[in-house]
Amino acid sequence: MPLVYIIIVNYNGYKDTIDCVNSLRKIKYDNYKIVIIDNDSTNDSVKKLKFYLEDCTILSMKSNLGFAGGNNFGINYALKNNAEFVLLLNNDTIVKDDFLNNMILTFIKETNAGIVGCKIMYHKEKNRIWYGGGKIDWFKFIGIHFGMKEFDNGQCDFEKEIDFMTGCCMLIKKDVFKKVGMLPEEYFMYFEDLDFCVRVKDFGYKILYNPKSVIYHKVGLSSGGEESQFSVEWGTRNRIVFMNKYKKKVKNCRFISSQIFFYITRILKCIKYICNGKIYLAKAILKGIEDSK
């Protein structure tokens, strides 16, 4: 069995991180190590993690490096310590005991795979899909989750090549980092996984989805919800950054149409938020646009 380093980034979420690690302790895969990157938590996360997770490597950052920065620190540590594969895993997830075995099997079957992903279900509703594979919508410049919010009736139970794997859980071959580089840190949080997957495919690797590998996601807990002020602001900012970075993926006229669509829909969202008394979300959109410049 190849050595897998599992990288988990923690920020003030030691309870979720402990739950995640406890589920990892039950997996059938034998050759793995867990590295927890604490992104300068403001609570007593480090103290709690060191007490409850003595078998894990816990690395404390002096500042919050964001999702990409925190993971990159862990990836570098893993590569220096002979990792053959690196698994990026959100701390607010619970894994099934065979999830890692199934992902490794995909790599064994497909030698040109660079990233392998899994099926992700909602933690609170374990029969409802959060991610069943994904594609990039090059008009909206966003990642689309197949089957999202649908009840699981087997519609996402087919192995296939995909455009992107969410950073919630991606198993990455070590050679990818040597050729492609690390996660892009200009995003801080959101869209860095999408950007990384674009680059991985541009280098000729395949990104594959294995539905037999299943985890459960406490969606949105780390950022305050799927439509929190944080997620709206950073989602807005980073979508603009992503659009501008990869505008050459589409024709000029199509990119102009994408920009018009984006800003019109942001205006409509602002109006909707204001009408619903959520002025703070309208301000978050405006701040996201301003910060993208």
Side-chain angles (χ1 to χ4, degrees):
M1 287 184 171
L3 175 59
V4 178
Y5 267 77
I6 301 173
I7 310 299
I8 301 172
V9 175
N10 177 82
Y11 179 71
N12 291 340
Y14 66 86
K15 291 181 180 179
D16 286 327
T17 300
I18 291 168
D19 287 345
C20 179
V21 171
N22 283 336
S23 72
L24 286 168
R25 285 169 169 161
K26 300 173 185 176
I27 64 174
K28 297 175 180 177
Y29 196 86
D30 292 329
N31 196 18
Y32 71 94
K33 297 180 184 295
I34 300 172
V35 178
I36 299 170
I37 309 298
D38 185 79
N39 246 342
D40 194 30
S41 291
T42 57
N43 61 11
D44 57 352
S45 277
V46 174
K47 181 180 177 181
K48 295 285 187 181
L49 294 174
K50 287 182 176 179
F51 180 79
Y52 288 105
L53 306 179
E54 293 180 344
D55 55 332
C56 300
T57 298
I58 300 169
L59 305 176
S60 301
M61 302 298 98
K62 294 181 180 179
S63 62
N64 189 339
L65 303 179
F67 181 84
N71 273 300
N72 283 343
F73 196 92
I75 293 165
N76 278 316
Y77 178 89
L79 296 177
K80 289 176 183 177
N81 287 277
N82 304 313
E84 296 175 74
F85 291 89
V86 175
L87 176 73
L88 306 184
L89 184 66
N90 271 23
N91 75 316
D92 56 351
T93 57
I94 302 295
V95 305
K96 290 193 73 172
D97 61 4
D98 62 349
F99 91 111
L100 189 50
N101 300 67
N102 285 316
M103 296 171 91
I104 289 292
L105 284 175
T106 301
F107 272 109
I108 293 172
K109 288 189 294 183
E110 180 54 71
T111 57
N112 199 36
I115 299 175
V116 170
C118 64
K119 186 178 184 181
I120 306 176
M121 310 297 289
Y122 283 90
H123 182 257
K124 287 186 177 180
E125 295 184 76
K126 291 182 171 56
N127 62 336
R128 195 185 288 268
I129 300 166
W130 184 71
Y131 177 91
K135 69 175 182 178
I136 297 175
D137 183 331
W138 285 111
F139 177 71
K140 295 181 179 179
F141 284 81
I142 57 173
I144 303 294
H145 290 207
F146 297 141
M148 189 174 189
K149 296 184 179 180
E150 297 176 4
F151 286 105
D152 187 7
N153 294 307
Q155 66 269 43
C156 296
D157 284 353
F158 305 95
E159 281 195 61
K160 56 190 171 185
E161 186 173 356
I162 54 178
D163 286 344
F164 87 100
M165 180 62 207
T166 168
C168 179
C169 179
M170 55 166 67
L171 184 62
I172 308 163
K173 187 162 53 178
K174 68 175 182 180
D175 293 345
V176 168
F177 299 112
K178 294 177 182 178
K179 294 181 180 179
V180 178
M182 309 296 279
L183 299 181
E185 297 186 16
E186 65 262 38
Y187 295 96
F188 187 75
M189 190 165 180
Y190 306 129
F191 280 86
E192 63 282 289
D193 50 356
L194 199 63
D195 186 310
F196 183 68
C197 287
V198 172
R199 286 163 46 217
V200 168
K201 288 183 74 75
D202 283 349
F203 271 81
Y205 289 104
K206 290 182 178 180
I207 302 175
L208 300 172
Y209 164 76
N210 186 338
K212 292 181 181 178
S213 176
V214 178
I215 69 170
Y216 303 95
H217 188 201
K218 303 172 188 177
V219 175
L221 289 180
S222 61
S223 59
E226 290 189 85
E227 199 175 56
S228 66
Q229 187 171 350
F230 180 93
S231 62
V232 169
E233 178 185 331
W234 283 96
T236 301
R237 175 202 181 272
N238 291 344
R239 185 168 163 190
I240 297 170
V241 172
F242 182 78
M243 288 175 69
N244 289 330
K245 188 172 181 178
Y246 290 104
K247 59 186 178 182
K248 291 184 179 179
K249 288 284 184 180
V250 299
K251 294 180 179 179
N252 287 339
C253 58
R254 185 174 175 85
F255 181 69
I256 292 170
S257 297
S258 294
Q259 285 186 305
I260 293 170
F261 173 83
F262 173 76
Y263 285 106
I264 287 176
T265 54
R266 293 320 94 184
I267 292 169
L268 294 175
K269 274 185 172 288
C270 283
I271 294 171
K272 174 189 170 184
Y273 288 143
I274 293 169
C275 290
N276 291 336
K278 297 180 179 180
I279 298 175
Y280 62 97
L281 291 182
K283 289 181 178 179
I285 289 177
L286 298 176
K287 190 171 189 306
I289 293 172
E290 178 64 26
D291 289 348
S292 70
K293 298 176 182 178

